[in-house]
Amino acid sequence: MNDMLLNIFQDGFFAAIAAVGFASISHPPRNAYAWCAVIAAVGHAVRYVLTTLLAVHIIAASTLAAFTIGLLAVYAAPRAKCPAETCLFPALLPMIPGMYAYRTVEGLLLCLYHSEEAAFMHNIYMLAYNGFTCAFIVLGMVLGATIPIYLFKKISFRATR
Amino acid sequence: MNICRDGMEHETASPTIEEIGKFFADYAACLLGCGATCIRIEKNIGRMAETLGVEADMTILPSHILMTVNSKDGLATWSTNHRMHHTGIDYCINTKLSRLSWAMADGKIGFREAVAEAKRIVGEQPAPEWVVLLLASAANTSFCRLFGGDGESMLLVFLATMVGYRLKQVMLAAKVDVRVVFLCSAFCSSVISAGGHLFGWGSTPEVALGTSVLYLIPGIVYINSVSDMLDGHYVCAYSRFMNAAMLTACLSLGLCAGILLLGLSL
């Protein structure tokens, strides 16, 4: 149980660092950094719990976690006095399925390396499996995170008032 | 505008329809350039137009803003086509310009003050490059850890990101085409992180190689694209998606070139 809690904490901690770092590339206001870190940590930890403890599929888990991130960003926006996207988008970046994207490119390269039918078909399978999973995770994440902004338009677009 | 004896500036003459049109087009072009979603641009312009007693209609194109401003009585009109400001994604500008629109709507500042303030906001210097470099490298290292990378892989990813991101900063400052920049940075990062494969460092070399180029993924552009699509701005959504897909293809090419050059057996 303690190990599980430690894993969840570690997952949230590294997601928070990743969110702050990726946020810095898009120059948010200084007071938004802390919110980005907290929101990313909670969102990533939610996905970790869903996939590891509850065995939810990664696409559904990413969508639900992104929805949580979207709700938190709408809550944070008026408090940080910045648009909801400022807290939302950088907090979402640590959930990008990087290894699926890498394995898609790897599958493509291996298709070019191997001309035997069995190996080629296996690599085509790897390319399609990783590519589709990656694309649907990203789509689910973005839809899940953006819906709260449209659900709570009044809060989202009055945050900078 | 007059300067009175008390030294304070007071707006006397109302702005002309031409002045308003030019300001709105410039304002929208700045927001578009700094990565604001179409719905935010429309809402910000809409509230300022209502305050100034005019009607503003605009078309948001991939790199242009078509703006038409009409007076409420329909006697005066002004149309202009303004090119997008290429500031790069900048949420500080986005936030401050959004606050400016509310300040104007709430009557805290006048039109001419808003014009001057918008110019000042766009001219502000972003965070120092070395700070962003360190934070981005730390972020990618954390990314490597999240994907199950060990200590050696994290160290390699930190180095690879630092070199690749610095190259990106230098090449962008030298006005090199952004697609070439992405290709070169991804190539450079992948070659450095391939050290894990080549020299047998650590037990997760594939994680190091895979995550070393992830700082280049244009995630915010992809998210903006879906947001525009949900709002019905299909042209802008498609344009942003294609722009992000092109950059992703360039970074994949750079990664592939690095793998092929070093002859890695995957």
Side-chain angles (χ1 to χ4, degrees), chain B residues 1 4 6 9 19 24 27 40 86 92 95 98 119 132 156 193 217 224 226 253 264-265:
Chain B
M1 195 184 307
C4 298
D6 58 4
E9 290 182 351
E19 285 175 316
F24 280 1
Y27 178 95
R40 181 160 297 282
H86 289 278
C92 205
T95 301
S98 296
K119 269 186 192 160
V132 179
L156 268 175
S193 64
I217 287 190
N224 274 341
V226 176
L253 269 178
L264 299 181
S265 53

Side-chain angles (χ1 to χ4, degrees), chain B residues 168-177:
Chain B
K168 182 185 167 198
Q169 288 176 327
V170 170
M171 288 177 83
L172 284 178
K175 310 270 183 220
V176 178
D177 187 283

Side-chain angles (χ1 to χ4, degrees), chain B residues 143-154:
Chain B
F143 226 3
C144 176
R145 174 70 181 74
L146 286 173
F147 290 126
D150 57 11
E152 288 90 340
S153 299
M154 287 170 75

Side-chain angles (χ1 to χ4, degrees), chain A residues 57-60 62-63 96-105 107-108 121 123-141:
Chain A
H57 192 274
I58 190 158
I59 296 175
S62 300
T63 311
I96 281 183
M99 285 313 289
Y100 283 102
Y102 167 70
R103 289 196 182 109
T104 308
V105 176
L108 178 73
M121 289 311 287
N123 291 321
I124 278 279
Y125 161 75
M126 293 303 288
L127 168 71
Y129 171 74
N130 287 301
F132 281 137
T133 309
C134 178
F136 280 99
I137 289 174
V138 172
L139 191 65
M141 268 168 52

Side-chain angles (χ1 to χ4, degrees), chain B residues 54-70:
Chain B
V54 295
E55 286 171 356
D57 284 316
M58 67 177 160
T59 306
I60 304 172
L61 294 172
S63 55
H64 288 85
I65 296 282
L66 299 178
M67 175 73 68
T68 300
V69 180
N70 299 301

Side-chain angles (χ1 to χ4, degrees), chain B residues 73-96:
Chain B
D73 56 13
L75 293 174
T77 186
W78 174 263
S79 287
T80 184
N81 180 9
H82 210 89
R83 182 175 274 276
M84 180 178 84
H85 290 236
H86 289 278
T87 49
I89 306 282
D90 193 321
Y91 279 123
C92 205
I93 294 180
N94 185 343
T95 301
K96 288 181 177 175

Side-chain angles (χ1 to χ4, degrees), chain B residues 32-45:
Chain B
L32 184 65
C34 74
T37 52
C38 289
I39 187 168
R40 181 160 297 282
I41 301 173
E42 282 183 341
K43 284 201 176 283
N44 288 4
I45 291 286

Side-chain angles (χ1 to χ4, degrees), chain A residues 113-127:
Chain A
Y113 271 140
H114 299 285
S115 52
E116 308 144 36
E117 191 174 350
F120 184 83
M121 289 311 287
H122 173 71
N123 291 321
I124 278 279
Y125 161 75
M126 293 303 288
L127 168 71

